[in-house]
Amino acid sequence: MSVPLPPKPDQPLVAALAADLTAADFFSEPLRRLWGEEADDALGRGVREPVLRAIARDVGPLATLGRFFVLGMPQPSDLVAAALPRLGLSGLVRLGFVTIGDDADAVPSVLVRPQSFVDADGIGEWWIASDLDELALGTELPADHVLGVGGASRTLAELIMPIPVARALDLGTGCGIQALLVARHADEVVATDISARALAFAELNALLNGVTNITFRSGSMFEPVAGEQFDLIVSNPPFVITPRVDGVTAYEYRDGGLIGDALVEQFLRAVPEHLAVGGVAQLLGNWESRAAIDPGLTRLESWIDPTLDAWVIEREELTPLGYAELWIRDGGTTPRDGAFDRMLTAWLDDFTERQVTAVGFGYILLRRPASADAPRLRRFEKVSQPLSGTGRALHSGLIAHDSLADGIPMTLITAPDVTEARHFMPGNDDPSVIELRQGGGFGRTISVDSALAGFVGACDGELQVTQIVAALADLFEVPLADLWTDLEPRIRQLVLDGFLVAG
């Protein structure tokens, strides 16, 4: 078990800690300069030795706090006290952040790491407190471990659409990172978790960073917000599929206690009643494919209310073996540990028993349309290429879908990140392949013919769509009606994909 935390953080003590961290310049860039870019990059991969070598002789406040709070290493009590003069060792003890060892060293109980971010409002930084990780513990994580800002947290943060809302919900808040992000463009945020320890960390992190528009509630799934609706719901739920057998640790931060992908199904079936008109839900999830006749995306679609808009993006699909190895290692167990083979057997037996052939991972976006009569967006796709600005791209995709409700807009403009590539066979003046490529967002590449390429090239916002198509019909000497029948569905798709935007 982890060292207990006070159920409610002491506000004066947290304020003193924040003042000490500020005075020590305990932020991402100063730390990166302190131990060097290469060492900082190595730390991001879980290798801390280069950092230790770089600051081995440095006993200043920033180096001391780096070893103590970033790496989770015991430090001489006098150095920690000097680095935190307002809070002091007694304040650290009262916050539950430290114990004093037999050798009088200060032994950290938690990590506090700077976390920089960029969103529509600009660049910012927070301090995020969480439990000691496997690097600091040197052993398997305890079941009640509260994770800091990991890869999944960063992924969800990039997905959230940067739009102002009145009420937002962060379901399964963990350390509170998503609630903090959403609080920047929401009037009110409700953050929930079934873990009392996670809620204690989340509330502490809000206080530590001076964020005051978040309230915290305890409970499972949507129970703490029964009967309430929100304009935005975000969740990095405990979606990891874990076998229900003795000897396999069920980590609170990643395991919802259900069989297979039932937690994601439960979320999707329950979320509609909590979405206000026009409200959006965004989450990460896993979904199983069971035998060849039951692919994961098809199963997922069956869980989603047909009255909602739905956009699901599968980013990867793992075999049962690959999935089991990933999450066994995530808990700090490696093949060198005796428990690895036993846990692997349990995972594979569970998948075999339920006829699971693959596990997909990806992003889910749901929206309650503003109009009951509006056409529904139902998009279920696999996207493997690198993405950038995903939240903005999703928002633009919804706007594009809405713009097509009454037909293709009168004028269209080629998006500024779109380029064209033509491929020629030697000695041939006509291109064998014409491709349109996106430089941002989903980074899509699509093949087009000369007529569609000509249409896109002429979309400058001045000529109307009908004028461009008429000119192309004359150029290619084909009936206008036939050309429009061919181009119209493909133009609609280019609008949906962000290659063309309403003029």
Side-chain angles (χ1 to χ4, degrees):
M1 293 289 290
S2 304
V3 176
L5 285 177
K8 288 285 185 180
D10 184 295
Q11 292 191 32
L13 292 179
V14 174
L17 174 60
D20 284 334
L21 295 179
T22 300
D25 210 15
F26 188 69
F27 300 102
S28 299
E29 281 306 313
L31 285 167
R32 187 172 173 86
R33 290 194 300 270
L34 176 69
W35 48 57
E37 293 186 6
E38 186 176 24
D40 195 63
D41 291 342
L43 184 60
R45 301 189 299 271
V47 180
R48 70 182 185 182
E49 182 59 27
V51 168
L52 292 175
R53 291 172 64 89
I55 60 174
R57 302 180 188 279
D58 192 334
V59 295
L62 187 57
T64 298
L65 293 177
R67 286 186 291 262
F68 187 76
F69 275 143
V70 176
L71 302 182
M73 297 178 62
Q75 294 293 288
S77 294
D78 59 336
L79 292 182
V80 175
L84 301 170
R86 297 166 184 82
L87 181 65
L89 280 177
S90 62
L92 273 180
V93 171
R94 288 167 61 192
L95 284 174
F97 279 23
V98 69
T99 58
I100 306 302
D102 294 337
D103 55 1
D105 275 356
V107 182
S109 305
V110 304
L111 301 175
V112 180
R113 290 172 171 168
Q115 179 65 44
S116 58
F117 62 88
V118 179
D119 65 10
D121 297 325
I123 300 172
E125 187 152 25
W126 291 306
W127 298 297
I128 301 297
S130 63
D131 273 322
L132 300 175
D133 58 16
E134 62 267 26
L135 190 65
L137 291 172
T139 184
E140 182 180 345
L141 299 175
D144 64 346
H145 177 80
V146 176
L147 193 67
V149 181
S153 297
R154 286 187 284 269
T155 296
L156 182 58
E158 292 170 0
L159 290 177
I160 297 174
M161 297 189 299
I163 53 176
V165 296
R167 298 196 77 217
L169 168 65
D170 177 17
L171 190 151
T173 192
C175 70
I177 182 62
Q178 305 304 331
L180 290 173
L181 283 165
V182 172
R184 285 171 60 83
H185 53 85
D187 296 335
E188 174 194 1
V189 180
V190 177
T192 70
D193 208 291
I194 197 172
S195 165
R197 186 172 182 81
L199 285 174
F201 269 117
E203 187 166 1
L204 184 147
N205 286 327
L207 281 175
L208 188 58
N209 294 286
V211 179
T212 59
N213 60 335
I214 307 174
T215 58
F216 300 89
R217 302 182 192 176
S218 176
S220 176
M221 296 297 285
F222 290 98
E223 292 173 1
V225 293
E228 298 181 49
Q229 291 189 325
F230 299 88
D231 305 296
L232 176 64
I233 299 174
V234 301
S235 184
N236 179 17
F239 57 74
V240 175
I241 297 165
T242 308
R244 302 287 157 223
V245 297
D246 292 337
V248 176
T249 305
Y251 295 106
E252 288 184 351
Y253 75 89
R254 73 181 200 189
D255 176 28
L258 302 179
I259 294 174
D261 52 17
L263 183 130
V264 174
E265 178 182 2
Q266 186 180 107
F267 183 105
L268 296 180
R269 293 191 185 280
V271 73
E273 66 183 271
H274 297 283
L275 283 176
V277 174
V280 170
Q282 295 187 259
L283 67 148
L284 306 179
N286 275 152
W287 43 86
E288 297 175 338
S289 293
R290 296 181 180 173
I293 60 173
D294 200 4
L297 283 176
T298 301
R299 293 182 66 246
L300 185 69
E301 184 173 7
S302 71
W303 305 335
I304 298 175
D305 187 326
T307 67
L308 299 182
D309 289 324
W311 191 350
V312 178
I313 299 164
E314 184 173 272
R315 292 293 284 151
E316 65 179 352
E317 189 175 60
L318 295 177
T319 65
L321 174 60
Y323 188 88
E325 284 193 65
L326 171 68
W327 292 109
I328 294 171
R329 291 176 184 271
D330 178 79
T333 303
T334 71
R336 294 188 299 273
D337 300 320
F340 187 90
D341 287 344
R342 171 176 49 78
M343 295 172 74
L344 182 62
T345 298
W347 244 286
L348 296 180
D349 285 349
D350 175 61
F351 284 138
T352 298
E353 180 180 346
R354 293 185 296 105
Q355 295 184 294
V356 175
T357 56
V359 180
F361 165 80
Y363 319 147
I364 303 170
L365 184 155
L366 306 177
R367 182 179 65 165
R368 180 174 295 285
S371 169
D373 299 326
R376 296 295 180 265
L377 174 67
R378 306 293 288 188
R379 188 163 193 176
F380 298 80
E381 59 181 328
K382 298 185 179 185
V383 178
S384 58
Q385 66 267 22
L387 307 180
S388 64
T390 317
R392 291 189 299 274
L394 289 169
H395 187 216
S396 297
L398 292 183
I399 292 172
H401 167 76
D402 294 342
S403 75
L404 293 168
D406 297 320
I408 294 174
M410 185 177 295
T411 58
L412 293 170
I413 300 173
T414 304
D417 65 336
V418 173
T419 57
E420 181 187 283
R422 294 183 176 233
H423 304 267
F424 297 85
M425 296 297 291
N428 194 334
D429 293 334
D430 295 323
S432 56
V433 176
I434 306 174
E435 292 178 330
L436 298 178
R437 299 173 178 173
Q438 281 179 325
F442 287 91
R444 301 183 194 274
T445 297
I446 63 169
S447 294
V448 298
D449 56 21
S450 297
L452 189 55
F455 178 87
V456 173
C459 285
D460 58 5
E462 295 185 4
L463 292 173
Q464 295 183 3
V465 168
T466 52
Q467 292 174 316
I468 297 173
V469 177
L472 289 171
D474 289 341
L475 177 64
F476 289 104
E477 299 180 342
V478 296
L480 175 59
D482 291 348
L483 183 60
W484 178 247
T485 299
D486 174 61
L487 289 181
E488 192 270 345
R490 295 193 288 158
I491 293 171
R492 292 180 66 91
Q493 192 62 48
L494 288 177
V495 174
L496 280 174
D497 286 344
F499 288 84
L500 297 171
V501 295

